[in-house]
């Protein structure tokens, strides 16, 4: 049993996952600070108030819809920050991927661009 557990823990993907979790936690703290300390205060420029005090009563229950609005705004700002700081730059760094395959005219399998005959259905391929 211990040998199986050791083999499981020593697999590369478990170690990679552990590293990813630690880095994600640290990155999450950076993004949370960016949103809470920079983006959210900038909303004051547009006259958007802090909604935390907005509530209404339903019987004895107090519905704090302002806290929900703040959480929603924070979520949207986090999503925007991740898109602008991570996703968009990664898309630009990747660029367009080179096309390396084409579709067989007979069996619609993906085959290499240079193929003169489909390896699946053996039909000749003509350059269009």
């Amino acid at each position: 049993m211990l040998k199986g557990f050791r083999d499981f823990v020593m697999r590369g993907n478990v170690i990679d996952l552990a590293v990813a979790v630690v880095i994600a936690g640290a990155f999450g703290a950076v993004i949370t600070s960016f949103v809470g300390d920079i983006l959210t205060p900038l909303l004051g420029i547009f006259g958007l108030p802090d909604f935390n005090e907005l509530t209404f009563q339903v019987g004895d229950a107090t519905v704090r819809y302002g806290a929900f609005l703040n959480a929603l705004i924070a979520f949207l700002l986090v999503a925007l920050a991740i898109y602008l700081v991570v996703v968009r730059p990664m898309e630009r760094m990747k660029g367009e991927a080179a096309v390396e395959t084409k579709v067989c005219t007979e069996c619609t399998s993906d085959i290499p661009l240079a193929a003169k005959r489909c390896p699946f259905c053996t039909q000749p391929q003509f350059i269009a």
Side-chain angles (χ1 to χ4, degrees):
M1 183 171 141
L2 257 33
K3 182 184 179 316
F5 179 71
R6 185 195 65 187
D7 292 344
F8 168 73
V9 170
M10 296 307 291
R11 270 192 223 158
N13 56 356
V14 173
I15 303 298
D16 291 344
L17 181 60
V19 170
V21 167
V22 170
I23 290 175
F27 185 70
V30 170
I31 292 295
T32 301
S33 175
F34 178 67
V35 169
D37 300 330
I38 296 173
L39 292 182
T40 303
L42 289 176
L43 290 176
I45 293 172
F46 303 109
L48 293 176
D50 182 15
F51 297 114
N52 270 333
E53 303 304 318
L54 299 178
T55 62
F56 66 87
Q57 291 291 126
V58 177
D60 290 336
T62 301
V63 178
R64 298 177 47 218
Y65 70 95
F68 173 74
L69 289 175
N70 274 348
L72 183 62
I73 290 169
F75 169 76
L76 293 174
L77 290 175
V78 166
L80 177 67
I82 289 174
Y83 177 75
L84 294 176
V85 174
V86 177
V87 175
R88 188 79 173 159
M90 290 301 289
E91 286 175 349
R92 288 189 179 172
M93 283 195 306
K94 285 182 183 177
E96 287 293 319
V99 177
E100 298 176 1
T101 61
K102 62 183 176 181
V103 176
C104 173
T105 56
E106 292 295 320
C107 69
T108 67
S109 298
D110 286 333
I111 60 175
L113 278 176
K116 294 181 181 176
R117 192 174 287 274
C118 177
F120 302 105
C121 68
T122 69
Q123 290 298 312
Q125 300 297 304
F126 302 101
I127 298 174

